[in-house]
Amino acid sequence: MRRMREDLRPGSRPRPESAFLIRRMTREDLPAVMELEKASFRNPWSFELLQRELSHDWSVIFLLEEPLPEGGKRLLGISIFWIVHDEVHVLNVATAPEHRRRGVGRELMEATLAEGRARKCSLATLEVRKSNEAAINLYKSFGFRPVGVRPNYYVDEGQPPEDAIVMVLDF
């Protein structure tokens, strides 16, 4: 866990085994995160909601970035989760559409679950769209198992409601 904590410091370098850099989101990141949200979801999180998450002690937002050859970094994905008592509750994992299938979601989930373990959590939970097979398979690869369904959980304007599958992972 020490390596994870070092990776999350502002200005930290990529981990040796990865070309990606994972760090905590700051207020200065809001415009870039909003762009990623809008590109990733039909109903993205609002600026206000993201800003509010930054102010909660129990809320964590990880950014996954890729260093650019010319300098700077490119935002590829985010993970938003809560740590409440001994539970990690994953609220949102997003990968920029043009960077999917590169391991971004996997690295974000690894960091999210590592943070939960470092904080002595015993359980992780999440909801996922029933139709999102790629995400369901990713979560299953970490050991998450489906435990229930939330009917009509996702309601998108102009689309029929969609159920969410509730998944749980015991640490």
Side-chain angles (χ1 to χ4, degrees), residues 110-122:
E110 285 173 358
T112 297
L113 298 174
E115 182 71 12
R117 286 183 182 100
R119 294 202 199 182
K120 308 290 188 233
C121 291
S122 61

Side-chain angles (χ1 to χ4, degrees), residues 85-125:
H85 302 291
D86 68 340
E87 180 182 329
V88 176
H89 184 68
V90 180
L91 301 170
N92 187 357
V93 177
T95 300
E98 65 274 18
H99 295 286
R100 291 183 180 154
R101 310 308 266 173
R102 291 186 56 204
V104 171
R106 175 165 299 285
E107 291 242 4
L108 284 165
M109 283 304 297
E110 285 173 358
T112 297
L113 298 174
E115 182 71 12
R117 286 183 182 100
R119 294 202 199 182
K120 308 290 188 233
C121 291
S122 61
L123 178 76
T125 63

Side-chain angles (χ1 to χ4, degrees), residues 64 68-69 123 158:
L64 184 140
L68 298 172
L123 178 76

Side-chain angles (χ1 to χ4, degrees), residues 31-47 50 94 97:
V33 170
M34 281 306 306
E35 282 184 41
L36 186 136
E37 276 286 311
K38 289 175 184 173
S40 300
F41 299 112
R42 281 178 274 188
N43 289 318
W45 283 39
S46 70
F47 184 91
L50 283 166

Side-chain angles (χ1 to χ4, degrees), residues 13-14 30 49 68 75-76 94 105 115 137 144 160 165:
R13 299 193 192 292
L30 277 164
L49 185 56
L68 298 172
L75 178 62
L76 305 183
E115 182 71 12
N137 289 332
F144 280 88
I165 297 174

Side-chain angles (χ1 to χ4, degrees), residues 25 27 30 45-59 61 82:
M25 181 181 167
R27 292 200 189 287
L30 277 164
W45 283 39
S46 70
F47 184 91
E48 294 76 20
L49 185 56
L50 283 166
Q51 195 169 17
R52 197 170 339 139
E53 287 301 313
L54 287 171
S55 68
H56 297 309
D57 291 338
W58 59 84
S59 184
I61 304 175
W82 290 351

